[in-house]
Amino acid sequence: MAIDISFIGDKDDYTYEDGEGVEYRYVINDNGTLAIFEKEEGGHLAGNAEPVAVYGPAAWFSVRGNARSKKDTPPARIRSF
């Protein structure tokens, strides 16, 4: 699912479109910023992944699409003895 962002003062939404092996996820941070992440289709997002875009709390009004979830985190690695 694509991510649609409504910006304050804009009539048109901005869309991050999934396709060509890329999926987008968003996170709303505690400080109100909106971070957009890009991942390979079927892949995972590392915990330290850098966002492709960050919008300040005064810039955006609403967001629709897939939020980043535990399903996007790679499985834990088990070390052998």
Side-chain angles (χ1 to χ4, degrees):
M1 174 179 227
I3 294 176
D4 295 316
I5 304 169
S6 297
F7 290 100
I8 294 172
D10 283 349
K11 293 180 182 178
D12 298 325
D13 291 350
Y14 185 80
T15 302
Y16 285 89
E17 192 71 42
D18 292 347
E20 297 184 22
V22 175
E23 295 178 0
Y24 291 96
R25 299 290 187 266
Y26 72 87
V27 173
I28 301 172
N29 297 305
D30 292 339
N31 62 1
T33 57
L34 173 64
I36 307 298
F37 293 89
E38 182 180 271
K39 73 172 200 158
E40 291 182 21
E41 192 170 349
H44 296 98
L45 284 169
N48 61 351
E50 293 289 324
V52 294
V54 177
Y55 300 101
W60 64 281
F61 176 72
S62 70
V63 61
R64 292 172 301 283
N66 290 331
R68 186 172 178 172
S69 69
K70 290 183 180 181
K71 292 180 182 179
D72 296 317
T73 305
R77 296 180 72 187
I78 299 174
R79 293 182 145 176
S80 61
F81 294 99

